[in-house]
Amino acid sequence: MSTGSPDVFVIGAGVTGLTTALVLLEAGLSVTNYSAEPPHRTTSAAAGALWGAHLVGADERVGRWGIQTLNRFRELAADSATGVRELNGLAALLGNHADPPEYAAGLHGLTAADPATLPAGYGTGWRYRAPVITMAAYLDYLVDRLIAGGGLLQIGRPLRDLADASAQSAAPVIVNCAGYGAKTLVADAALTAVRGQVVVVANPGLTEFFVGDRNLPREITYMFPHGETALLGGTEVEGDMNTEPDPETAAHILRCCAEVEPRLADVPVLAHRVGLRPVRPQVRLEREALTGDRHVVHNYGHGGAGVTLSWGCAMSVRDEVRALLG
């Protein structure tokens, strides 16, 4: 049993767990954030991260959560220390499409691109402005705010199940933000890992983001500038649990990105990252009774939209916790 009894024990220190812990803390609750991995070793650290719902199950709440998060990111973009910036960019689609992608609807500056300006092979493009988050800086920002506000970030052994979590903390409410770890923590058979691999390179001068379809399944080409570096991707491989970078996949990502942006040919490679996106048919955000007067509020299964939905989902968790604690 850990010393002290916070109001809330949040499991998971990725973007969902940290944001949820911070929102609960700012609501006046005492919070311990517990994780088996430090923030920079979570799946969130491998994210691009461009605002836009991706690989997330159908749910009428997703739109509201996304807009709430978008509004918060626009506020955070005023402070360079957050790692959040609004950038212009291009979403390119194969073939001809009359309507913009759903994830871009309503964003600033949304306009159809002149087909003559699109990379070879793309038939339709949409230009718009959206938040792009440098995750290393952003995770540090969230941790700093959590600690400065009196929250506790605790790194420990993996938790076996909710009974194990209950023994770890006497908090009346546990919040499950374990991402793909919920597969074991709550034995969720509906949760699937979708592996993503990216490459971090020295930025040759990119100032706009790019996201483009590919003919091959399980692939998407994207590039996100982050100041002196750029993050290139990527893959979407369902059920692949390998968290080690694959050299052939990395080389393929570099080739595909260089086809779209020739300045990326032969750029220095700085790092390789792999993350397991926690995909399920629907985001699980709901309360569940445990033994005695204790409860768990689940907040996982965001797929590739963990960053995009983070603040909105955290606000919904706050409302659930407030109801439970009266």
Side-chain angles (χ1 to χ4, degrees):
M1 181 77 68
S2 61
T3 59
S5 298
D7 297 316
V8 189
F9 184 71
V10 179
I11 302 171
V15 68
T16 298
L18 289 173
T19 307
T20 300
L22 182 57
V23 168
L24 292 168
L25 188 70
E26 293 178 342
L29 301 170
S30 58
V31 179
T32 293
N33 190 187
Y34 183 95
S35 178
E37 297 284 356
H40 282 259
R41 292 185 60 185
T42 64
T43 290
S44 297
L50 172 70
W51 183 92
H54 180 63
L55 281 178
V56 60
D59 190 324
E60 62 182 9
R61 302 170 296 176
V62 165
R64 170 170 54 86
W65 289 333
I67 292 300
Q68 289 173 322
T69 304
L70 176 62
N71 291 336
R72 182 59 63 91
F73 281 151
R74 284 174 172 162
E75 295 172 359
L76 293 175
D79 181 359
S80 60
T82 65
V84 181
R85 296 172 300 152
E86 281 200 274
L87 299 180
N88 296 317
L90 171 67
L93 308 173
L94 301 173
N96 297 313
H97 301 267
D99 298 320
E102 289 186 7
Y103 56 78
L107 287 169
H108 292 162
L110 181 62
T111 56
D114 181 349
T117 66
L118 299 178
Y122 291 99
T124 306
W126 298 89
R127 299 190 183 279
Y128 58 94
R129 187 172 179 84
V132 176
I133 297 90
T134 302
M135 290 307 296
Y138 186 58
L139 292 172
D140 285 344
Y141 166 78
L142 293 175
V143 170
D144 289 346
R145 280 189 59 182
L146 179 68
I147 300 303
L152 175 65
L153 177 59
Q154 184 179 1
I155 308 299
R157 61 174 177 78
L159 298 173
R160 296 184 298 274
D161 50 31
L162 289 179
D164 191 15
S166 297
Q168 185 70 22
S169 172
V173 179
I174 295 170
V175 179
N176 170 19
C177 300
Y180 186 69
K183 181 80 172 181
T184 301
L185 186 70
V186 295
D188 189 343
L191 192 61
T192 302
V194 176
R195 183 183 186 273
Q197 180 169 329
V198 297
V199 183
V200 181
V201 301
N203 188 351
L206 307 183
T207 58
E208 296 189 348
F209 64 81
F210 174 85
V211 180
D213 289 345
R214 293 196 64 80
N215 283 312
L216 296 176
R218 307 189 303 179
E219 288 188 14
I220 184 170
T221 293
Y222 54 82
M223 52 198 79
F224 303 126
H226 295 293
E228 295 182 353
T229 66
L231 185 142
L232 313 180
T235 62
E236 299 174 351
V237 186
E238 183 174 343
D240 187 342
M241 303 296 296
N242 180 18
T243 57
E244 292 298 318
D246 175 64
E248 292 186 6
T249 299
H252 182 67
I253 290 171
L254 289 166
R255 285 195 302 271
C256 291
C257 288
E259 289 173 2
V260 173
E261 175 49 76
R263 285 179 292 175
L264 290 169
D266 300 320
V267 291
V269 173
L270 305 178
H272 300 272
R273 298 175 185 165
V274 174
L276 302 180
R277 304 176 182 96
V279 176
R280 73 191 306 275
Q282 186 179 63
V283 173
R284 189 179 185 191
L285 202 160
E286 62 186 6
R287 71 177 78 171
E288 178 184 354
L290 298 176
T291 56
D293 295 329
R294 305 181 72 184
H295 292 78
V296 60
V297 178
H298 299 286
N299 182 21
Y300 69 91
H302 304 92
V307 174
T308 298
L309 306 180
S310 55
W311 287 95
C313 286
M315 294 173 192
S316 289
V317 170
R318 175 198 60 199
D319 295 343
E320 293 286 347
V321 173
R322 278 176 169 169
L324 289 169
L325 296 178

